[in-house]
Amino acid sequence: MMKPLHFRLITVFFLCLWAFGNANAQTAIENEYTKSEILPEKEALVPGETTWFALRQELRDGWHVFWINPGDAGLPLNLRWTLPKGFSAGAVQHPVPEYIPVGPLASYAHEGEPVFLVPLEVPSDAPVGSDVEIVIDASWQTCEEICVPEEGQFSFRMPVRASAPLIEENAEIFATAREKLPDNLSGSASVSPNGDRYELVVEDFSDARGQEVFFFAEPEGLIEPSAEQNAERFENNLKLSMKPGWLDRFDAQTLNGVLLVDGQGYAVSAALTAPLEIKNLAPAPTVQAAGQNFVFLLMLALLGGLILNIMPCVFPIVFIKAASFMKSAQSSPEAVRLHGLLYTAGVISMFFLLGGSLLLLRAGGEQFGWGFHLQSPIVVAFSALVLLMVGLNLAGLYSVGAGLAGTGQNLAAKDGALGAFFTGVLAVVVAAPCIGPLMSAPMGAALILPPLAAMGIFLALGLGLALPYLVLSLAPALSAYLPKPGPWMVTFKQALAFPVFAAAGYFLWVLAQQAAGSGLAIAIASAVALALAAWLFEKSKTEDRRGFVLRIVSAVITVFAIAPVANLESNMSRKTVMVGETHGAMRAVPYSAEALDQYRRDGVSVFIDFTAAWCVTCQFNKLTVFSDEELGADFAAAGNVFMVADWTVRDPEITAALEAFGASGVPLYVAYPAEKEPVIVSQPLTKNSVREAMGLTR
């Protein structure tokens, strides 16, 4: 048997080796509100065995971090391991959570110095004598009265040995952490729906007579976090009645969670006797039930689509279409009608595609609203590049189809027809940043109506957008009012390039709000490369070898220009409003449901601007109404809070808030006067309508 002194010397030796090999290691992270440290249980990794790691955090007094299910709000600990092939990290094991009330809401969280345990599986073929590099990107959220996201990276090396003793210095940490994990449940558990409640039944349970009972369900949204849970006890059985949360349906085989009884936690894996779904809710409206209301919604959708033509975000396409009709006026009336029909087909096809995608995503449980595709930097960047190419074409840098001009009227008409269809597609892409004054009601209804009725609303919107050009093309007599063809059309066409360039620049500005600096740089480089490719394409219109080579070079540059844009999603960053940041002339705070509830309890009046960088109407109101110095001074003097819900990138909390007001997109303006019910401020927005909603007088 090895003598204790020898054992300690060998342990110190191995620890010195581990420390030497990790001279540049990062095993501790210090943030403003937390200190975090990663600790291994053993001195080395052993092939075919599991090595445990402990993430120990030290929190400021009064602050907390979150459990697997954070409750009403919050983000739990997230660890992203970078490991060699064959190694795998298991799920984070949390201590028993605490119930922390936050006004009318509740958090499931940990305070003090929580320790999280994580198993690392070592493959049996891991070479003994080697070192393994481990990198862990960690992120979490810590809260008191405010919530702060924190993050850091652990990086270190661990040796692989045939065997490895425990690290004595860490033994107590691991022992204490395991004591704070939930115990195994002694009885059997099942869960079932019962009317408008869910019931958890635990049979043959030794602690069934406990007085303070609460169940923490792992799936977020299944149980209302702050709602009272009613316990019934009979013999050694316990029945717990719980209020459903916002999750519509849960149909897994088991429900996992932690049952807290008089301060003691038990790990529960309850069998589902039937799928858990919300009962006794009002059914979704149907076309038959809606009756005349549905017809009214269709009329609103048609009129809302029509008004989109005069919204600032659609102006560039109005100019493009005007040029298209002037060109078509030189052709036969049949060609004009064909172009109008195909433009309409392009608009309606795009509405069908976007509306269908939105409804499919909704059916899959995702939270999206109108304009959701512009929350992707990839879509925004491609929109900017397409508009750039349209502008360069109008400006005369290059032309598409000019080589076909002498091959006959039919081919020329075919080329124009294709352009009409894709102009309609582009009109919808550019119109998406706007929700006109009459679109909110039909768009909100489309998200709760049955699929066929919902698609009817989307198609009515598309028909409204295309209607002016469809009427113009189907009424040949109106062609007499079009300007007569002449040399002036070339100048006019070139002039139309500038509003299109402005639209492309606007989309690049939106991208700057969504993507990291490298993302914007990629888009700008792609734009320059595409302009070069277009110029080379125009220079290649010769039949000699030089023209062939230039066409090849142009195609290669185009491919290399577009390819990096497809990876912009990885550069996406959350655009948030900081406390005290100016929003026009207003001092803004970021939106959160928790903060709003607190302001309401304190009797503070709140105005919420649901906005997005890609929403042109939102930006127009920011530059006009919310930039009024007198209005900003009145808000400050009255102690009112101006809250900004920035939806530039996807945010489920803001999406849920929009849905609560029956809105499917932005802009939306909601006033919360002190001790009064909220009021939706109608559009078009004015300084007087904001003052009236907030009860401000001058």
PDB file of all heavy atoms in Angstrom, residues 48 70 78 86 107 134 140 174-175 308 343 422 429 436 454-455 477 492 562 593 641-642 670 680:
ATOM      1  N   GLY A  48     -12.696   5.485 -21.695  1.00  0.00           N
ATOM      2  CA  GLY A  48     -13.870   4.683 -21.403  1.00  0.00           C
ATOM      3  C   GLY A  48     -14.609   5.079 -20.144  1.00  0.00           C
ATOM      4  O   GLY A  48     -15.611   4.442 -19.789  1.00  0.00           O
ATOM      5  N   PRO A  70     -36.503  28.843 -16.824  1.00  0.00           N
ATOM      6  CA  PRO A  70     -36.283  30.053 -16.023  1.00  0.00           C
ATOM      7  C   PRO A  70     -37.544  30.626 -15.385  1.00  0.00           C
ATOM      8  O   PRO A  70     -37.452  31.537 -14.573  1.00  0.00           O
ATOM      9  CB  PRO A  70     -35.693  31.034 -17.033  1.00  0.00           C
ATOM     10  CG  PRO A  70     -36.221  30.580 -18.349  1.00  0.00           C
ATOM     11  CD  PRO A  70     -36.335  29.088 -18.262  1.00  0.00           C
ATOM     12  N   ASN A  78     -25.919  28.112 -20.488  1.00  0.00           N
ATOM     13  CA  ASN A  78     -25.712  27.418 -21.759  1.00  0.00           C
ATOM     14  C   ASN A  78     -24.215  27.198 -21.950  1.00  0.00           C
ATOM     15  O   ASN A  78     -23.437  28.156 -21.934  1.00  0.00           O
ATOM     16  CB  ASN A  78     -26.285  28.235 -22.923  1.00  0.00           C
ATOM     17  CG  ASN A  78     -26.130  27.530 -24.252  1.00  0.00           C
ATOM     18  OD1 ASN A  78     -26.106  26.301 -24.315  1.00  0.00           O
ATOM     19  ND2 ASN A  78     -26.020  28.296 -25.326  1.00  0.00           N
ATOM     20  N   GLY A  86     -15.078  12.043 -30.688  1.00  0.00           N
ATOM     21  CA  GLY A  86     -15.289  10.923 -29.780  1.00  0.00           C
ATOM     22  C   GLY A  86     -15.626  11.354 -28.366  1.00  0.00           C
ATOM     23  O   GLY A  86     -16.246  10.594 -27.614  1.00  0.00           O
ATOM     24  N   SER A 107     -39.685  33.593 -10.996  1.00  0.00           N
ATOM     25  CA  SER A 107     -38.496  33.026 -11.623  1.00  0.00           C
ATOM     26  C   SER A 107     -38.137  31.722 -10.928  1.00  0.00           C
ATOM     27  O   SER A 107     -38.317  31.581  -9.719  1.00  0.00           O
ATOM     28  CB  SER A 107     -37.316  34.001 -11.533  1.00  0.00           C
ATOM     29  OG  SER A 107     -37.546  35.151 -12.316  1.00  0.00           O
ATOM     30  N   ILE A 134      -9.668  21.451 -24.265  1.00  0.00           N
ATOM     31  CA  ILE A 134     -11.096  21.646 -24.006  1.00  0.00           C
ATOM     32  C   ILE A 134     -11.397  23.143 -24.014  1.00  0.00           C
ATOM     33  O   ILE A 134     -10.723  23.922 -23.340  1.00  0.00           O
ATOM     34  CB  ILE A 134     -11.509  21.032 -22.654  1.00  0.00           C
ATOM     35  CG1 ILE A 134     -11.249  19.516 -22.655  1.00  0.00           C
ATOM     36  CG2 ILE A 134     -12.976  21.322 -22.348  1.00  0.00           C
ATOM     37  CD1 ILE A 134     -11.512  18.856 -21.321  1.00  0.00           C
ATOM     38  N   TRP A 140     -24.975  32.999 -19.731  1.00  0.00           N
ATOM     39  CA  TRP A 140     -26.058  32.905 -18.770  1.00  0.00           C
ATOM     40  C   TRP A 140     -26.616  34.302 -18.558  1.00  0.00           C
ATOM     41  O   TRP A 140     -26.104  35.284 -19.106  1.00  0.00           O
ATOM     42  CB  TRP A 140     -25.555  32.320 -17.436  1.00  0.00           C
ATOM     43  CG  TRP A 140     -24.477  33.130 -16.770  1.00  0.00           C
ATOM     44  CD1 TRP A 140     -24.654  34.127 -15.856  1.00  0.00           C
ATOM     45  CD2 TRP A 140     -23.069  33.045 -17.012  1.00  0.00           C
ATOM     46  NE1 TRP A 140     -23.439  34.660 -15.506  1.00  0.00           N
ATOM     47  CE2 TRP A 140     -22.444  34.010 -16.191  1.00  0.00           C
ATOM     48  CE3 TRP A 140     -22.265  32.228 -17.817  1.00  0.00           C
ATOM     49  CZ2 TRP A 140     -21.073  34.194 -16.173  1.00  0.00           C
ATOM     50  CZ3 TRP A 140     -20.895  32.405 -17.803  1.00  0.00           C
ATOM     51  CH2 TRP A 140     -20.305  33.377 -16.992  1.00  0.00           C
ATOM     52  N   PHE A 174     -17.569  18.996  -4.989  1.00  0.00           N
ATOM     53  CA  PHE A 174     -18.401  18.017  -5.689  1.00  0.00           C
ATOM     54  C   PHE A 174     -19.384  17.341  -4.734  1.00  0.00           C
ATOM     55  O   PHE A 174     -20.548  17.100  -5.098  1.00  0.00           O
ATOM     56  CB  PHE A 174     -17.522  16.981  -6.384  1.00  0.00           C
ATOM     57  CG  PHE A 174     -16.963  17.448  -7.690  1.00  0.00           C
ATOM     58  CD1 PHE A 174     -15.766  18.150  -7.756  1.00  0.00           C
ATOM     59  CD2 PHE A 174     -17.641  17.206  -8.872  1.00  0.00           C
ATOM     60  CE1 PHE A 174     -15.252  18.585  -8.956  1.00  0.00           C
ATOM     61  CE2 PHE A 174     -17.138  17.644 -10.090  1.00  0.00           C
ATOM     62  CZ  PHE A 174     -15.937  18.337 -10.134  1.00  0.00           C
ATOM     63  N   ALA A 175     -18.923  17.035  -3.515  1.00  0.00           N
ATOM     64  CA  ALA A 175     -19.818  16.382  -2.548  1.00  0.00           C
ATOM     65  C   ALA A 175     -20.996  17.288  -2.208  1.00  0.00           C
ATOM     66  O   ALA A 175     -22.156  16.844  -2.172  1.00  0.00           O
ATOM     67  CB  ALA A 175     -19.037  16.013  -1.295  1.00  0.00           C
ATOM     68  N   LEU A 308     -50.465  50.417 -49.743  1.00  0.00           N
ATOM     69  CA  LEU A 308     -49.022  50.150 -49.737  1.00  0.00           C
ATOM     70  C   LEU A 308     -48.307  50.833 -50.903  1.00  0.00           C
ATOM     71  O   LEU A 308     -47.124  51.155 -50.811  1.00  0.00           O
ATOM     72  CB  LEU A 308     -48.764  48.639 -49.808  1.00  0.00           C
ATOM     73  CG  LEU A 308     -48.754  47.857 -48.490  1.00  0.00           C
ATOM     74  CD1 LEU A 308     -48.488  46.388 -48.763  1.00  0.00           C
ATOM     75  CD2 LEU A 308     -47.700  48.411 -47.540  1.00  0.00           C
ATOM     76  N   TYR A 343     -47.178  40.872 -63.752  1.00  0.00           N
ATOM     77  CA  TYR A 343     -46.788  41.639 -62.569  1.00  0.00           C
ATOM     78  C   TYR A 343     -47.683  41.261 -61.384  1.00  0.00           C
ATOM     79  O   TYR A 343     -47.198  41.024 -60.269  1.00  0.00           O
ATOM     80  CB  TYR A 343     -46.898  43.142 -62.869  1.00  0.00           C
ATOM     81  CG  TYR A 343     -46.716  44.012 -61.648  1.00  0.00           C
ATOM     82  CD1 TYR A 343     -45.448  44.274 -61.142  1.00  0.00           C
ATOM     83  CD2 TYR A 343     -47.819  44.572 -61.001  1.00  0.00           C
ATOM     84  CE1 TYR A 343     -45.283  45.068 -60.009  1.00  0.00           C
ATOM     85  CE2 TYR A 343     -47.660  45.359 -59.874  1.00  0.00           C
ATOM     86  CZ  TYR A 343     -46.391  45.608 -59.382  1.00  0.00           C
ATOM     87  OH  TYR A 343     -46.237  46.380 -58.270  1.00  0.00           O
ATOM     88  N   PHE A 422     -40.996  39.395 -62.212  1.00  0.00           N
ATOM     89  CA  PHE A 422     -40.047  39.561 -61.115  1.00  0.00           C
ATOM     90  C   PHE A 422     -40.079  40.969 -60.516  1.00  0.00           C
ATOM     91  O   PHE A 422     -39.660  41.169 -59.381  1.00  0.00           O
ATOM     92  CB  PHE A 422     -38.640  39.173 -61.574  1.00  0.00           C
ATOM     93  CG  PHE A 422     -38.448  37.687 -61.623  1.00  0.00           C
ATOM     94  CD1 PHE A 422     -38.444  37.011 -62.826  1.00  0.00           C
ATOM     95  CD2 PHE A 422     -38.328  36.950 -60.454  1.00  0.00           C
ATOM     96  CE1 PHE A 422     -38.295  35.636 -62.868  1.00  0.00           C
ATOM     97  CE2 PHE A 422     -38.176  35.576 -60.480  1.00  0.00           C
ATOM     98  CZ  PHE A 422     -38.162  34.911 -61.697  1.00  0.00           C
ATOM     99  N   VAL A 429     -41.118  42.210 -51.744  1.00  0.00           N
ATOM    100  CA  VAL A 429     -39.940  42.200 -50.876  1.00  0.00           C
ATOM    101  C   VAL A 429     -39.702  43.580 -50.281  1.00  0.00           C
ATOM    102  O   VAL A 429     -39.428  43.736 -49.079  1.00  0.00           O
ATOM    103  CB  VAL A 429     -38.699  41.722 -51.652  1.00  0.00           C
ATOM    104  CG1 VAL A 429     -37.440  41.888 -50.808  1.00  0.00           C
ATOM    105  CG2 VAL A 429     -38.862  40.264 -52.063  1.00  0.00           C
ATOM    106  N   GLY A 436     -49.213  49.121 -43.564  1.00  0.00           N
ATOM    107  CA  GLY A 436     -50.006  50.318 -43.778  1.00  0.00           C
ATOM    108  C   GLY A 436     -51.074  50.493 -42.712  1.00  0.00           C
ATOM    109  O   GLY A 436     -51.314  49.618 -41.881  1.00  0.00           O
ATOM    110  N   ALA A 454     -56.992  32.327 -43.923  1.00  0.00           N
ATOM    111  CA  ALA A 454     -55.796  33.151 -43.739  1.00  0.00           C
ATOM    112  C   ALA A 454     -55.132  33.447 -45.080  1.00  0.00           C
ATOM    113  O   ALA A 454     -54.728  34.590 -45.350  1.00  0.00           O
ATOM    114  CB  ALA A 454     -54.817  32.445 -42.802  1.00  0.00           C
ATOM    115  N   MET A 455     -55.035  32.430 -45.932  1.00  0.00           N
ATOM    116  CA  MET A 455     -54.421  32.652 -47.239  1.00  0.00           C
ATOM    117  C   MET A 455     -55.274  33.594 -48.081  1.00  0.00           C
ATOM    118  O   MET A 455     -54.750  34.359 -48.900  1.00  0.00           O
ATOM    119  CB  MET A 455     -54.221  31.321 -47.962  1.00  0.00           C
ATOM    120  CG  MET A 455     -53.111  30.453 -47.376  1.00  0.00           C
ATOM    121  SD  MET A 455     -51.531  31.328 -47.159  1.00  0.00           S
ATOM    122  CE  MET A 455     -51.188  31.821 -48.845  1.00  0.00           C
ATOM    123  N   ALA A 477     -57.804  51.915 -72.981  1.00  0.00           N
ATOM    124  CA  ALA A 477     -58.065  53.344 -73.193  1.00  0.00           C
ATOM    125  C   ALA A 477     -57.177  54.209 -72.315  1.00  0.00           C
ATOM    126  O   ALA A 477     -56.857  55.354 -72.675  1.00  0.00           O
ATOM    127  CB  ALA A 477     -59.544  53.641 -72.913  1.00  0.00           C
ATOM    128  N   PHE A 492     -35.079  59.549 -68.372  1.00  0.00           N
ATOM    129  CA  PHE A 492     -35.997  59.239 -67.282  1.00  0.00           C
ATOM    130  C   PHE A 492     -35.624  57.905 -66.621  1.00  0.00           C
ATOM    131  O   PHE A 492     -35.624  57.772 -65.389  1.00  0.00           O
ATOM    132  CB  PHE A 492     -37.426  59.185 -67.822  1.00  0.00           C
ATOM    133  CG  PHE A 492     -38.461  58.891 -66.764  1.00  0.00           C
ATOM    134  CD1 PHE A 492     -38.781  59.826 -65.800  1.00  0.00           C
ATOM    135  CD2 PHE A 492     -39.113  57.666 -66.740  1.00  0.00           C
ATOM    136  CE1 PHE A 492     -39.735  59.560 -64.829  1.00  0.00           C
ATOM    137  CE2 PHE A 492     -40.063  57.387 -65.773  1.00  0.00           C
ATOM    138  CZ  PHE A 492     -40.377  58.344 -64.809  1.00  0.00           C
ATOM    139  N   ILE A 562     -21.566  36.468 -54.231  1.00  0.00           N
ATOM    140  CA  ILE A 562     -22.806  36.073 -53.558  1.00  0.00           C
ATOM    141  C   ILE A 562     -22.562  35.059 -52.453  1.00  0.00           C
ATOM    142  O   ILE A 562     -23.233  35.081 -51.413  1.00  0.00           O
ATOM    143  CB  ILE A 562     -23.808  35.514 -54.597  1.00  0.00           C
ATOM    144  CG1 ILE A 562     -24.260  36.640 -55.531  1.00  0.00           C
ATOM    145  CG2 ILE A 562     -25.009  34.874 -53.922  1.00  0.00           C
ATOM    146  CD1 ILE A 562     -25.160  36.177 -56.647  1.00  0.00           C
ATOM    147  N   ALA A 593     -41.476  42.694 -20.586  1.00  0.00           N
ATOM    148  CA  ALA A 593     -42.763  42.555 -19.905  1.00  0.00           C
ATOM    149  C   ALA A 593     -42.604  42.766 -18.404  1.00  0.00           C
ATOM    150  O   ALA A 593     -43.467  43.373 -17.747  1.00  0.00           O
ATOM    151  CB  ALA A 593     -43.349  41.176 -20.197  1.00  0.00           C
ATOM    152  N   VAL A 641     -42.415  57.189 -19.168  1.00  0.00           N
ATOM    153  CA  VAL A 641     -41.368  56.311 -19.689  1.00  0.00           C
ATOM    154  C   VAL A 641     -41.658  56.013 -21.156  1.00  0.00           C
ATOM    155  O   VAL A 641     -42.789  55.660 -21.521  1.00  0.00           O
ATOM    156  CB  VAL A 641     -41.304  54.992 -18.888  1.00  0.00           C
ATOM    157  CG1 VAL A 641     -40.383  53.990 -19.580  1.00  0.00           C
ATOM    158  CG2 VAL A 641     -40.815  55.263 -17.477  1.00  0.00           C
ATOM    159  N   PHE A 642     -40.637  56.182 -21.993  1.00  0.00           N
ATOM    160  CA  PHE A 642     -40.730  55.844 -23.412  1.00  0.00           C
ATOM    161  C   PHE A 642     -39.979  54.532 -23.620  1.00  0.00           C
ATOM    162  O   PHE A 642     -38.762  54.472 -23.495  1.00  0.00           O
ATOM    163  CB  PHE A 642     -40.121  56.963 -24.269  1.00  0.00           C
ATOM    164  CG  PHE A 642     -40.349  56.787 -25.749  1.00  0.00           C
ATOM    165  CD1 PHE A 642     -41.508  57.259 -26.349  1.00  0.00           C
ATOM    166  CD2 PHE A 642     -39.415  56.138 -26.541  1.00  0.00           C
ATOM    167  CE1 PHE A 642     -41.723  57.099 -27.713  1.00  0.00           C
ATOM    168  CE2 PHE A 642     -39.621  55.974 -27.896  1.00  0.00           C
ATOM    169  CZ  PHE A 642     -40.778  56.455 -28.488  1.00  0.00           C
ATOM    170  N   VAL A 670     -48.466  51.763 -28.372  1.00  0.00           N
ATOM    171  CA  VAL A 670     -49.387  51.473 -27.270  1.00  0.00           C
ATOM    172  C   VAL A 670     -49.075  52.411 -26.109  1.00  0.00           C
ATOM    173  O   VAL A 670     -47.920  52.502 -25.673  1.00  0.00           O
ATOM    174  CB  VAL A 670     -49.275  50.006 -26.805  1.00  0.00           C
ATOM    175  CG1 VAL A 670     -50.293  49.730 -25.703  1.00  0.00           C
ATOM    176  CG2 VAL A 670     -49.478  49.046 -27.974  1.00  0.00           C
ATOM    177  N   ILE A 680     -54.228  51.542 -27.870  1.00  0.00           N
ATOM    178  CA  ILE A 680     -53.464  51.503 -29.122  1.00  0.00           C
ATOM    179  C   ILE A 680     -53.631  52.846 -29.825  1.00  0.00           C
ATOM    180  O   ILE A 680     -54.764  53.281 -30.085  1.00  0.00           O
ATOM    181  CB  ILE A 680     -53.937  50.356 -30.028  1.00  0.00           C
ATOM    182  CG1 ILE A 680     -53.671  49.005 -29.349  1.00  0.00           C
ATOM    183  CG2 ILE A 680     -53.242  50.419 -31.386  1.00  0.00           C
ATOM    184  CD1 ILE A 680     -54.150  47.816 -30.155  1.00  0.00           C
TER     185      ILE A 680
END
